[in-house]
Amino acid sequence: CAMLTLLHLIGQHVDEAGVLQRSALKAVYVAPMKALAQEVVTTFSKRLAPLSLVVRELTGDMQLTRAEVDAAHLIVTTPEKWDVITRKGGSDGSLATACKLLIIDEVHLLADERGAVIESIVARTQRLVESAQTTVRIVALSATLPNYRDVAVFLRVNPERGLYYFGGEYRPVPLEQTFMGVAEKNRMRLAGKQNECAFEVVHDAIRRGHQVMVFVHARKETVRTGEAIRDLAMKAGVSDDFRCD
């Protein structure tokens, strides 16, 4: 999806003679982590090389000169770094003003402790559009976003033209969905009961010879959930079922 939106932007910068006007082409890809930013730079650099488009990383560990920023067509950064850049404001010609496409990956992090940063980025971009009378397309991506309609309202997305939801019908292998409700108001006990439900489902699938993937909302939750399933397996005396050998 990110590449398709980027190609759409590139198409808008091709003149009547079929020549790509690279000087006015500027997009920003906001990745949640520095490691992912490096991966995105590598991937997009290879794909955009035939068009002679430059992809650069701009994070806390990778600084760019003004000339390097101006020469880049796609800037890959993190929410915190882009927050700092846009917070400074900018006159005409600044990076924030020159950006015509803002891609926010893993937008479900709005529910995480870093969500306020993403909210600030979006609000600042929308204010820039209104004050400068310019156009900036915001594309938000997520593979684990249950309340995508609420996020779409926050992003001011046209639900008829700009909201895309790819359900199980797009999968090459059918996916069965089952919803398990947990009635608990205390957050700690709620997490514990959710982990117990996950353990039961995971263990049942493994015993039937299947592979299992557990999705959670944040990176920290991956460790906590993994440890919880491990502890529950040890408590139930079925640790051997989870061995990889």
Side-chain angles (χ1 to χ4, degrees):
C1 293
M3 177 57 71
L4 289 175
T5 57
L6 187 57
L7 290 175
H8 182 267
L9 178 67
I10 293 172
Q12 295 176 339
H13 287 78
V14 177
D15 60 21
E16 297 180 355
V19 179
L20 176 59
Q21 301 298 322
R22 299 178 181 84
S23 59
L25 179 60
K26 189 77 69 178
V28 173
Y29 189 113
V30 178
M33 299 175 291
K34 297 177 185 178
L36 184 57
Q38 296 170 356
E39 181 180 336
V40 171
V41 170
T42 301
T43 301
F44 278 77
S45 294
K46 292 180 180 178
R47 294 182 177 180
L48 298 177
L51 297 176
S52 299
L53 296 178
V54 179
V55 182
R56 299 299 298 266
E57 176 188 348
L58 180 58
T59 61
D61 297 336
M62 185 65 65
Q63 300 296 325
L64 300 177
T65 64
R66 182 54 188 251
E68 291 173 330
V69 170
D70 292 340
H73 303 102
L74 175 62
I75 299 291
V76 183
T77 184
T78 59
E80 289 76 16
K81 186 65 176 181
W82 189 243
D83 179 45
V84 171
I85 293 173
T86 56
R87 189 185 305 167
K88 295 178 180 178
S91 56
D92 293 340
S94 67
L95 178 56
T97 306
C99 173
K100 298 303 178 184
L101 172 63
L102 176 62
I103 302 173
I104 304 176
D105 199 359
E106 309 288 358
V107 73
H108 55 262
L109 291 176
L110 278 167
D112 193 51
E113 57 187 16
R114 303 167 67 192
V117 178
I118 298 178
E119 288 184 16
S120 298
I121 291 173
V122 173
R124 212 169 284 129
T125 302
Q126 292 172 341
R127 185 180 64 182
L128 173 64
V129 170
E130 296 171 352
S131 61
Q133 294 298 301
T134 184
T135 301
V136 180
R137 184 182 184 185
I138 301 178
V139 177
L141 307 173
S142 174
T144 57
L145 186 63
N147 59 327
Y148 60 93
R149 294 186 184 275
D150 296 332
V151 176
V153 172
F154 166 66
L155 296 174
R156 301 181 185 178
V157 171
N158 184 331
E160 302 298 328
R161 298 179 51 202
L163 179 59
Y164 299 93
Y165 169 72
F166 301 97
E169 64 273 13
Y170 289 90
R171 293 176 54 87
V173 179
L175 180 66
E176 178 183 344
Q177 294 188 2
T178 303
F179 294 92
M180 304 175 64
V182 179
E184 179 57 64
K185 295 183 179 180
N186 183 278
R187 294 187 62 181
M188 295 297 294
R189 289 196 293 267
L190 174 62
K193 289 186 177 181
Q194 288 176 333
N195 288 334
E196 291 175 2
C197 292
F199 166 72
E200 293 176 0
V201 173
V202 168
H203 186 225
D204 178 66
I206 290 177
R207 291 181 62 183
R208 289 186 284 116
H210 299 305
Q211 292 181 319
V212 183
M213 182 177 294
V214 180
F215 279 96
V216 293
H217 283 290
R219 182 172 57 171
K220 292 181 179 179
E221 293 300 320
T222 60
V223 177
R224 295 173 183 171
T225 304
E227 291 177 343
I229 293 176
R230 178 203 61 192
D231 295 341
L232 289 170
M234 294 176 62
K235 183 178 180 180
V238 294
S239 300
D240 292 341
D241 292 344
F242 290 82
R243 293 187 180 276
C244 298
D245 50 17

